[in-house]
Amino acid sequence: MKGYKVITLTTFLIESQAEFPYAKGELTRLLYHVMVAAKMVNKKVNKAGLVDIIGEAGEVNVQGEDQKKLDVFANDQFIAALRSSGECCGIASEENQEIITFDDDLSRDGNYIFCMDPLDGSSNIDVNVSIGTIFSIYRRISPRGERAVLDDFLQPGTKQVAAGYIIYGSSTMLVYTTGRGVFGFTLDPSIGEFCLSHHDIKTPEDGTIYSINEGNAHEFPEGIKKYVAYCKDIDKPTHRPYSARYIGSLVSDFHRNLLKGGIFLYPHTEKNPEGKLRLLYECNPIAFLAEQAGGKASTGSHRIMEIKPHSLHQRVSIITGSLHMVEKAEAFIKEQEPIKLN
Ligand code: AHM
Ligand code: MG
């Protein structure tokens, strides 16, 4: 195609670094290793139906959920890649109860900490439905040269220096932000490179999709019940009723809504009184991306990224997506009881 220029993620990372005159390339190197791990996991995910990789690994993770083999594989790949980058001094993972720190001098000198859900939507692995990896990167607070400590991880989302996700779907994409817009790269399997496919993504301010697990409807807070009823009302000027779309993989549901316009809600319920999704490695990175794309992310009454975390695997209610849709849901909640912060 005339004038067609392929920009690979590697090139893009290097060129973006040049925009910061004093950048030392540390974050670039870290993101490069995230990309490498993503390719490894992608290869395995694509083979999932062919080899003995689907199914339970026989262990239970820190949330008390069965670990799937691919969860374990993804966790191991990311940890190995991050360690070899030499830029990461500590990792928080959905699959590990405690923070992971390294004893070698190179890693201890790393400036960044990394929070991840290595394989989100894992209940979808065995049934060929899109899954993802979500990550969030912070600068450490503790001195370089020492082991990372828990406080390095308990920073509010506003301190994120980068966040993103990889979606292993009909194609594999890596979407990330460093606070200067959201960029999406699609993996071209023929050359093994992530290529820029979505430049400076902006999400529509209004949308026509709502995503929520309505099986939990009887447990929703009143404001959420009323908002969901609003989504189903008939009103031509606001294009209602909206379409219900719920995959059960946060990455996939968020990604679709990001591109098309929509709202994703996972409120607290009786079963999950603090919400189901995790603040550090699910809600904060998604919130950073949502805001950078012109959308919003809140608990219903508080900005997600301003919550000061108290623990590594903390859960929180989340409503995220198109700006006006999130504001509308917040207005319904405000009329009822505000969502409690835990
Ligand atoms: P996981 O990290 O164990 O895969 O759980 C997180 C997933 C999200 O991807 C998704 O949005 C949510 O759990 C679905 O939960 P539910 O099945 O309760 O609707
Ligand atoms: Mg998971």
Side-chain angles (χ1 to χ4, degrees), residues 141-197:
I141 303 170
S142 58
R144 292 179 84 153
E146 293 179 10
R147 268 184 188 260
V149 295
L150 183 59
D151 274 350
D152 289 323
F153 295 83
L154 302 182
Q155 303 186 52
T158 48
K159 297 282 184 194
Q160 289 172 102
V161 294
Y165 58 78
I166 298 110
I167 177 166
Y168 312 98
S170 49
S171 58
T172 294
M173 276 189 75
L174 190 152
V175 177
Y176 84 102
T177 183
T178 54
R180 293 161 69 97
V182 179
F183 296 86
F185 297 79
T186 303
L187 184 64
D188 181 342
S190 63
I191 55 169
E193 292 281 2
F194 281 100
C195 301
L196 182 61
S197 52

Tab-separated table of all heavy atoms in Angstrom, residues 141-197:
chain	number	residue	atom	x	y	z
A	141	ILE	N	9.462	3.608	46.004
A	141	ILE	CA	9.650	4.674	47.003
A	141	ILE	C	10.921	4.371	47.808
A	141	ILE	O	11.662	5.260	48.166
A	141	ILE	CB	8.449	4.712	47.993
A	141	ILE	CG1	7.137	4.910	47.239
A	141	ILE	CG2	8.639	5.825	49.006
A	141	ILE	CD1	5.914	4.709	48.132
A	142	SER	N	11.145	3.091	48.057
A	142	SER	CA	12.319	2.677	48.836
A	142	SER	C	13.594	2.968	48.024
A	142	SER	O	13.540	3.073	46.794
A	142	SER	CB	12.220	1.183	49.166
A	142	SER	OG	12.132	0.440	47.962
A	143	PRO	N	14.723	3.089	48.720
A	143	PRO	CA	15.963	3.440	48.012
A	143	PRO	C	16.407	2.349	47.034
A	143	PRO	O	16.263	1.154	47.317
A	143	PRO	CB	16.992	3.600	49.140
A	143	PRO	CG	16.238	3.584	50.414
A	143	PRO	CD	14.920	2.935	50.173
A	144	ARG	N	16.956	2.783	45.928
A	144	ARG	CA	17.523	1.832	44.968
A	144	ARG	C	18.694	1.110	45.611
A	144	ARG	O	19.380	1.658	46.456
A	144	ARG	CB	17.989	2.567	43.710
A	144	ARG	CG	16.842	3.126	42.914
A	144	ARG	CD	17.315	3.864	41.686
A	144	ARG	NE	17.550	2.972	40.568
A	144	ARG	CZ	17.464	3.352	39.286
A	144	ARG	NH1	17.142	4.595	38.977
A	144	ARG	NH2	17.688	2.495	38.317
A	145	GLY	N	18.861	-0.142	45.228
A	145	GLY	CA	19.971	-0.914	45.808
A	145	GLY	C	19.509	-1.809	46.950
A	145	GLY	O	20.212	-2.720	47.354
A	146	GLU	N	18.295	-1.498	47.457
A	146	GLU	CA	17.742	-2.352	48.519
A	146	GLU	C	16.614	-3.200	47.942
A	146	GLU	O	16.107	-2.915	46.865
A	146	GLU	CB	17.204	-1.472	49.660
A	146	GLU	CG	18.302	-0.723	50.380
A	146	GLU	CD	17.751	0.171	51.483
A	146	GLU	OE1	16.555	0.069	51.804
A	146	GLU	OE2	18.549	0.971	52.000
A	147	ARG	N	16.188	-4.188	48.718
A	147	ARG	CA	15.021	-4.974	48.295
A	147	ARG	C	13.783	-4.101	48.325
A	147	ARG	O	13.638	-3.271	49.228
A	147	ARG	CB	14.797	-6.137	49.255
A	147	ARG	CG	15.492	-7.426	48.832
A	147	ARG	CD	15.115	-8.516	49.814
A	147	ARG	NE	15.882	-9.718	49.596
A	147	ARG	CZ	15.406	-10.784	48.933
A	147	ARG	NH1	14.194	-10.790	48.436
A	147	ARG	NH2	16.163	-11.853	48.783
A	148	ALA	N	12.866	-4.301	47.384
A	148	ALA	CA	11.597	-3.564	47.406
A	148	ALA	C	10.807	-3.961	48.646
A	148	ALA	O	10.975	-5.065	49.176
A	148	ALA	CB	10.802	-3.896	46.148
A	149	VAL	N	9.950	-3.065	49.125
A	149	VAL	CA	9.130	-3.347	50.315
A	149	VAL	C	7.655	-3.146	49.972
A	149	VAL	O	7.323	-2.538	48.942
A	149	VAL	CB	9.534	-2.435	51.505
A	149	VAL	CG1	10.947	-2.726	51.960
A	149	VAL	CG2	9.389	-0.959	51.140
A	150	LEU	N	6.789	-3.612	50.866
A	150	LEU	CA	5.345	-3.559	50.597
A	150	LEU	C	4.865	-2.143	50.286
A	150	LEU	O	4.030	-1.938	49.396
A	150	LEU	CB	4.582	-4.143	51.802
A	150	LEU	CG	3.064	-4.229	51.661
A	150	LEU	CD1	2.660	-5.097	50.475
A	150	LEU	CD2	2.431	-4.764	52.953
A	151	ASP	N	5.419	-1.138	50.988
A	151	ASP	CA	4.977	0.244	50.763
A	151	ASP	C	5.193	0.701	49.321
A	151	ASP	O	4.491	1.585	48.844
A	151	ASP	CB	5.714	1.206	51.720
A	151	ASP	CG	4.981	1.297	53.058
A	151	ASP	OD1	3.855	0.773	53.135
A	151	ASP	OD2	5.546	1.886	54.003
A	152	ASP	N	6.172	0.126	48.644
A	152	ASP	CA	6.390	0.481	47.233
A	152	ASP	C	5.146	0.163	46.405
A	152	ASP	O	4.888	0.799	45.380
A	152	ASP	CB	7.571	-0.315	46.653
A	152	ASP	CG	8.913	0.141	47.218
A	152	ASP	OD1	9.073	1.352	47.432
A	152	ASP	OD2	9.777	-0.726	47.456
A	153	PHE	N	4.384	-0.825	46.861
A	153	PHE	CA	3.229	-1.304	46.090
A	153	PHE	C	1.929	-0.626	46.500
A	153	PHE	O	0.956	-0.659	45.768
A	153	PHE	CB	3.079	-2.825	46.257
A	153	PHE	CG	4.228	-3.594	45.679
A	153	PHE	CD1	5.399	-3.787	46.401
A	153	PHE	CD2	4.154	-4.100	44.390
A	153	PHE	CE1	6.466	-4.472	45.867
A	153	PHE	CE2	5.213	-4.785	43.839
A	153	PHE	CZ	6.377	-4.978	44.583
A	154	LEU	N	1.937	-0.045	47.696
A	154	LEU	CA	0.680	0.516	48.201
A	154	LEU	C	0.568	2.004	47.871
A	154	LEU	O	0.230	2.832	48.711
A	154	LEU	CB	0.560	0.263	49.712
A	154	LEU	CG	0.607	-1.222	50.120
A	154	LEU	CD1	0.424	-1.371	51.630
A	154	LEU	CD2	-0.441	-2.045	49.370
A	155	GLN	N	0.836	2.335	46.630
A	155	GLN	CA	0.734	3.717	46.157
A	155	GLN	C	-0.597	3.885	45.424
A	155	GLN	O	-1.075	2.943	44.782
A	155	GLN	CB	1.873	4.034	45.194
A	155	GLN	CG	3.269	3.830	45.760
A	155	GLN	CD	4.348	4.300	44.780
A	155	GLN	OE1	4.308	5.417	44.295
A	155	GLN	NE2	5.311	3.446	44.487
A	156	PRO	N	-1.177	5.084	45.503
A	156	PRO	CA	-2.420	5.275	44.753
A	156	PRO	C	-2.179	5.226	43.243
A	156	PRO	O	-1.059	5.469	42.777
A	156	PRO	CB	-2.875	6.682	45.181
A	156	PRO	CG	-1.658	7.350	45.703
A	156	PRO	CD	-0.755	6.279	46.233
A	157	GLY	N	-3.223	4.913	42.499
A	157	GLY	CA	-3.115	4.768	41.039
A	157	GLY	C	-2.634	6.021	40.341
A	157	GLY	O	-2.102	5.954	39.226
A	158	THR	N	-2.805	7.173	40.972
A	158	THR	CA	-2.336	8.423	40.358
A	158	THR	C	-0.818	8.422	40.195
A	158	THR	O	-0.283	9.231	39.441
A	158	THR	CB	-2.736	9.646	41.229
A	158	THR	OG1	-2.379	9.366	42.588
A	158	THR	CG2	-4.224	9.939	41.140
A	159	LYS	N	-0.137	7.531	40.915
A	159	LYS	CA	1.332	7.477	40.831
A	159	LYS	C	1.825	6.531	39.739
A	159	LYS	O	3.036	6.342	39.575
A	159	LYS	CB	1.926	7.014	42.179
A	159	LYS	CG	1.654	7.953	43.323
A	159	LYS	CD	2.590	9.140	43.259
A	159	LYS	CE	2.405	10.050	44.469
A	159	LYS	NZ	3.039	11.356	44.295
A	160	GLN	N	0.906	5.909	39.022
A	160	GLN	CA	1.337	4.974	37.973
A	160	GLN	C	2.163	5.718	36.915
A	160	GLN	O	1.787	6.819	36.509
A	160	GLN	CB	0.124	4.344	37.275
A	160	GLN	CG	-0.638	3.356	38.148
A	160	GLN	CD	-1.933	2.889	37.496
A	160	GLN	OE1	-2.006	1.799	36.970
A	160	GLN	NE2	-2.948	3.741	37.535
A	161	VAL	N	3.233	5.093	36.466
A	161	VAL	CA	3.997	5.696	35.366
A	161	VAL	C	3.627	5.040	34.038
A	161	VAL	O	3.832	5.616	32.977
A	161	VAL	CB	5.527	5.636	35.581
A	161	VAL	CG1	5.938	6.487	36.767
A	161	VAL	CG2	6.017	4.220	35.767
A	162	ALA	N	3.066	3.859	34.096
A	162	ALA	CA	2.612	3.172	32.881
A	162	ALA	C	1.619	2.092	33.283
A	162	ALA	O	1.623	1.624	34.429
A	162	ALA	CB	3.783	2.551	32.130
A	163	ALA	N	0.763	1.746	32.358
A	163	ALA	CA	-0.196	0.656	32.601
A	163	ALA	C	-0.666	0.153	31.244
A	163	ALA	O	-0.579	0.870	30.239
A	163	ALA	CB	-1.386	1.161	33.418
A	164	GLY	N	-1.147	-1.071	31.246
A	164	GLY	CA	-1.634	-1.588	29.978
A	164	GLY	C	-2.207	-2.982	30.114
A	164	GLY	O	-2.334	-3.516	31.220
A	165	TYR	N	-2.562	-3.531	28.984
A	165	TYR	CA	-3.007	-4.915	28.948
A	165	TYR	C	-2.639	-5.552	27.629
A	165	TYR	O	-2.354	-4.859	26.647
A	165	TYR	CB	-4.523	-5.029	29.197
A	165	TYR	CG	-5.416	-4.269	28.241
A	165	TYR	CD1	-5.696	-4.740	26.963
A	165	TYR	CD2	-5.990	-3.066	28.637
A	165	TYR	CE1	-6.530	-4.034	26.105
A	165	TYR	CE2	-6.822	-2.359	27.785
A	165	TYR	CZ	-7.090	-2.850	26.515
A	165	TYR	OH	-7.903	-2.146	25.658
A	166	ILE	N	-2.623	-6.865	27.662
A	166	ILE	CA	-2.472	-7.637	26.426
A	166	ILE	C	-3.759	-8.434	26.302
A	166	ILE	O	-4.211	-9.038	27.286
A	166	ILE	CB	-1.252	-8.577	26.473
A	166	ILE	CG1	0.038	-7.753	26.637
A	166	ILE	CG2	-1.147	-9.402	25.184
A	166	ILE	CD1	0.684	-7.904	27.944
A	167	ILE	N	-4.355	-8.428	25.145
A	167	ILE	CA	-5.568	-9.215	24.929
A	167	ILE	C	-5.238	-10.318	23.931
A	167	ILE	O	-4.698	-10.052	22.858
A	167	ILE	CB	-6.741	-8.310	24.478
A	167	ILE	CG1	-7.991	-9.113	24.178
A	167	ILE	CG2	-6.410	-7.443	23.281
A	167	ILE	CD1	-9.247	-8.247	24.076
A	168	TYR	N	-5.477	-11.550	24.381
A	168	TYR	CA	-5.226	-12.703	23.519
A	168	TYR	C	-6.584	-13.084	22.946
A	168	TYR	O	-7.359	-13.811	23.576
A	168	TYR	CB	-4.606	-13.855	24.326
A	168	TYR	CG	-3.452	-13.415	25.211
A	168	TYR	CD1	-3.647	-13.142	26.571
A	168	TYR	CD2	-2.170	-13.254	24.683
A	168	TYR	CE1	-2.599	-12.722	27.383
A	168	TYR	CE2	-1.112	-12.834	25.500
A	168	TYR	CZ	-1.335	-12.568	26.844
A	168	TYR	OH	-0.304	-12.146	27.651
A	169	GLY	N	-6.898	-12.540	21.794
A	169	GLY	CA	-8.231	-12.725	21.224
A	169	GLY	C	-8.155	-13.162	19.781
A	169	GLY	O	-7.231	-13.890	19.401
A	170	SER	N	-9.106	-12.685	18.978
A	170	SER	CA	-9.087	-13.069	17.556
A	170	SER	C	-7.784	-12.572	16.939
A	170	SER	O	-7.268	-13.140	15.989
A	170	SER	CB	-10.305	-12.510	16.825
A	170	SER	OG	-10.453	-11.141	17.110
A	171	SER	N	-7.247	-11.491	17.468
A	171	SER	CA	-5.834	-11.175	17.251
A	171	SER	C	-5.287	-10.784	18.617
A	171	SER	O	-6.055	-10.540	19.544
A	171	SER	CB	-5.656	-10.057	16.221
A	171	SER	OG	-6.345	-8.913	16.653
A	172	THR	N	-3.976	-10.727	18.716
A	172	THR	CA	-3.375	-10.371	20.011
A	172	THR	C	-2.949	-8.917	19.961
A	172	THR	O	-2.307	-8.481	19.003
A	172	THR	CB	-2.192	-11.304	20.301
A	172	THR	OG1	-2.715	-12.616	20.476
A	172	THR	CG2	-1.442	-10.894	21.564
A	173	MET	N	-3.363	-8.180	20.981
A	173	MET	CA	-3.024	-6.751	21.015
A	173	MET	C	-2.374	-6.388	22.331
A	173	MET	O	-2.715	-6.957	23.369
A	173	MET	CB	-4.288	-5.899	20.872
A	173	MET	CG	-4.729	-5.689	19.451
A	173	MET	SD	-6.056	-4.466	19.420
A	173	MET	CE	-5.141	-2.945	19.685
A	174	LEU	N	-1.480	-5.429	22.274
A	174	LEU	CA	-0.933	-4.833	23.494
A	174	LEU	C	-1.348	-3.367	23.483
A	174	LEU	O	-1.114	-2.655	22.501
A	174	LEU	CB	0.589	-4.985	23.499
A	174	LEU	CG	1.303	-4.633	24.811
A	174	LEU	CD1	2.609	-5.437	24.922
A	174	LEU	CD2	1.617	-3.160	24.949
A	175	VAL	N	-2.020	-2.951	24.537
A	175	VAL	CA	-2.519	-1.576	24.644
A	175	VAL	C	-1.889	-0.981	25.898
A	175	VAL	O	-1.912	-1.608	26.960
A	175	VAL	CB	-4.066	-1.572	24.768
A	175	VAL	CG1	-4.599	-0.154	24.952
A	175	VAL	CG2	-4.705	-2.227	23.534
A	176	TYR	N	-1.265	0.200	25.774
A	176	TYR	CA	-0.627	0.752	26.972
A	176	TYR	C	-0.646	2.267	26.985
A	176	TYR	O	-0.898	2.919	25.971
A	176	TYR	CB	0.800	0.211	27.123
A	176	TYR	CG	1.847	0.962	26.323
A	176	TYR	CD1	2.684	1.885	26.949
A	176	TYR	CD2	2.000	0.758	24.962
A	176	TYR	CE1	3.650	2.577	26.229
A	176	TYR	CE2	2.963	1.443	24.237
A	176	TYR	CZ	3.786	2.349	24.877
A	176	TYR	OH	4.733	3.049	24.170
A	177	THR	N	-0.393	2.799	28.152
A	177	THR	CA	-0.254	4.246	28.308
A	177	THR	C	0.921	4.542	29.230
A	177	THR	O	1.204	3.770	30.156
A	177	THR	CB	-1.538	4.892	28.885
A	177	THR	OG1	-1.342	6.315	28.929
A	177	THR	CG2	-1.872	4.398	30.290
A	178	THR	N	1.586	5.651	28.950
A	178	THR	CA	2.576	6.165	29.912
A	178	THR	C	2.113	7.555	30.365
A	178	THR	O	2.918	8.371	30.813
A	178	THR	CB	3.997	6.259	29.293
A	178	THR	OG1	3.913	7.038	28.091
A	178	THR	CG2	4.560	4.899	28.987
A	179	GLY	N	0.812	7.798	30.208
A	179	GLY	CA	0.266	9.083	30.629
A	179	GLY	C	0.262	10.116	29.525
A	179	GLY	O	-0.005	11.297	29.753
A	180	ARG	N	0.577	9.699	28.319
A	180	ARG	CA	0.538	10.601	27.156
A	180	ARG	C	-0.314	9.980	26.061
A	180	ARG	O	0.082	9.862	24.914
A	180	ARG	CB	1.963	10.840	26.642
A	180	ARG	CG	2.821	11.625	27.648
A	180	ARG	CD	4.288	11.450	27.363
A	180	ARG	NE	4.694	12.113	26.118
A	180	ARG	CZ	5.247	13.313	26.081
A	180	ARG	NH1	5.452	13.999	27.161
A	180	ARG	NH2	5.609	13.837	24.922
A	181	GLY	N	-1.504	9.518	26.452
A	181	GLY	CA	-2.415	8.895	25.490
A	181	GLY	C	-2.332	7.381	25.538
A	181	GLY	O	-1.462	6.811	26.221
A	182	VAL	N	-3.237	6.746	24.831
A	182	VAL	CA	-3.322	5.282	24.832
A	182	VAL	C	-3.000	4.779	23.418
A	182	VAL	O	-3.559	5.281	22.442
A	182	VAL	CB	-4.738	4.820	25.241
A	182	VAL	CG1	-4.847	3.301	25.212
A	182	VAL	CG2	-5.100	5.358	26.623
A	183	PHE	N	-2.110	3.803	23.343
A	183	PHE	CA	-1.680	3.295	22.036
A	183	PHE	C	-1.867	1.779	21.978
A	183	PHE	O	-1.581	1.089	22.956
A	183	PHE	CB	-0.219	3.682	21.776
A	183	PHE	CG	-0.046	5.179	21.684
A	183	PHE	CD1	0.157	5.929	22.837
A	183	PHE	CD2	-0.159	5.833	20.470
A	183	PHE	CE1	0.261	7.307	22.771
A	183	PHE	CE2	-0.049	7.216	20.387
A	183	PHE	CZ	0.158	7.963	21.546
A	184	GLY	N	-2.360	1.315	20.840
A	184	GLY	CA	-2.632	-0.110	20.685
A	184	GLY	C	-1.792	-0.705	19.562
A	184	GLY	O	-1.653	-0.116	18.485
A	185	PHE	N	-1.222	-1.867	19.830
A	185	PHE	CA	-0.363	-2.561	18.880
A	185	PHE	C	-0.909	-3.960	18.649
A	185	PHE	O	-1.211	-4.679	19.605
A	185	PHE	CB	1.067	-2.648	19.428
A	185	PHE	CG	1.696	-1.302	19.620
A	185	PHE	CD1	1.373	-0.530	20.737
A	185	PHE	CD2	2.556	-0.772	18.673
A	185	PHE	CE1	1.921	0.734	20.909
A	185	PHE	CE2	3.107	0.495	18.838
A	185	PHE	CZ	2.789	1.253	19.962
A	186	THR	N	-1.032	-4.337	17.390
A	186	THR	CA	-1.550	-5.663	17.064
A	186	THR	C	-0.393	-6.559	16.636
A	186	THR	O	0.466	-6.134	15.841
A	186	THR	CB	-2.608	-5.555	15.940
A	186	THR	OG1	-3.628	-4.659	16.374
A	186	THR	CG2	-3.224	-6.910	15.617
A	187	LEU	N	-0.376	-7.765	17.170
A	187	LEU	CA	0.710	-8.696	16.842
A	187	LEU	C	0.505	-9.244	15.436
A	187	LEU	O	-0.546	-9.809	15.126
A	187	LEU	CB	0.733	-9.845	17.857
A	187	LEU	CG	1.857	-10.854	17.705
A	187	LEU	CD1	3.236	-10.217	17.939
A	187	LEU	CD2	1.666	-12.024	18.678
A	188	ASP	N	1.514	-9.023	14.596
A	188	ASP	CA	1.492	-9.640	13.266
A	188	ASP	C	2.253	-10.954	13.391
A	188	ASP	O	3.483	-10.959	13.494
A	188	ASP	CB	2.168	-8.703	12.253
A	188	ASP	CG	2.155	-9.292	10.853
A	188	ASP	OD1	1.954	-10.522	10.724
A	188	ASP	OD2	2.344	-8.527	9.888
A	189	PRO	N	1.519	-12.092	13.411
A	189	PRO	CA	2.199	-13.362	13.678
A	189	PRO	C	3.194	-13.735	12.585
A	189	PRO	O	4.140	-14.477	12.841
A	189	PRO	CB	1.063	-14.392	13.742
A	189	PRO	CG	-0.207	-13.677	13.447
A	189	PRO	CD	0.094	-12.244	13.140
A	190	SER	N	3.025	-13.179	11.379
A	190	SER	CA	3.932	-13.571	10.293
A	190	SER	C	5.332	-13.006	10.517
A	190	SER	O	6.317	-13.580	10.064
A	190	SER	CB	3.374	-13.125	8.935
A	190	SER	OG	3.299	-11.719	8.891
A	191	ILE	N	5.440	-11.871	11.216
A	191	ILE	CA	6.777	-11.322	11.485
A	191	ILE	C	7.092	-11.309	12.982
A	191	ILE	O	8.176	-10.911	13.397
A	191	ILE	CB	6.938	-9.896	10.896
A	191	ILE	CG1	5.827	-8.958	11.415
A	191	ILE	CG2	6.942	-9.933	9.383
A	191	ILE	CD1	6.069	-7.483	11.092
A	192	GLY	N	6.107	-11.724	13.795
A	192	GLY	CA	6.338	-11.789	15.243
A	192	GLY	C	6.519	-10.426	15.887
A	192	GLY	O	7.221	-10.283	16.880
A	193	GLU	N	5.912	-9.408	15.308
A	193	GLU	CA	6.077	-8.058	15.855
A	193	GLU	C	4.725	-7.442	16.193
A	193	GLU	O	3.746	-7.627	15.447
A	193	GLU	CB	6.749	-7.135	14.815
A	193	GLU	CG	8.188	-7.462	14.511
A	193	GLU	CD	9.169	-6.963	15.565
A	193	GLU	OE1	8.730	-6.383	16.573
A	193	GLU	OE2	10.377	-7.176	15.371
A	194	PHE	N	4.680	-6.696	17.288
A	194	PHE	CA	3.516	-5.870	17.584
A	194	PHE	C	3.628	-4.596	16.739
A	194	PHE	O	4.646	-3.896	16.812
A	194	PHE	CB	3.492	-5.481	19.070
A	194	PHE	CG	2.994	-6.565	19.976
A	194	PHE	CD1	3.874	-7.353	20.698
A	194	PHE	CD2	1.624	-6.785	20.124
A	194	PHE	CE1	3.408	-8.345	21.553
A	194	PHE	CE2	1.147	-7.773	20.977
A	194	PHE	CZ	2.039	-8.562	21.686
A	195	CYS	N	2.602	-4.311	15.929
A	195	CYS	CA	2.643	-3.142	15.048
A	195	CYS	C	1.566	-2.139	15.454
A	195	CYS	O	0.435	-2.538	15.785
A	195	CYS	CB	2.408	-3.570	13.596
A	195	CYS	SG	3.637	-4.763	13.035
A	196	LEU	N	1.913	-0.864	15.407
A	196	LEU	CA	0.972	0.184	15.811
A	196	LEU	C	-0.281	0.109	14.936
A	196	LEU	O	-0.213	0.239	13.718
A	196	LEU	CB	1.623	1.559	15.668
A	196	LEU	CG	0.769	2.757	16.104
A	196	LEU	CD1	0.389	2.684	17.569
A	196	LEU	CD2	1.509	4.073	15.815
A	197	SER	N	-1.415	-0.115	15.574
A	197	SER	CA	-2.679	-0.246	14.830
A	197	SER	C	-3.721	0.743	15.347
A	197	SER	O	-4.654	1.087	14.644
A	197	SER	CB	-3.226	-1.677	14.963
A	197	SER	OG	-3.291	-2.050	16.328
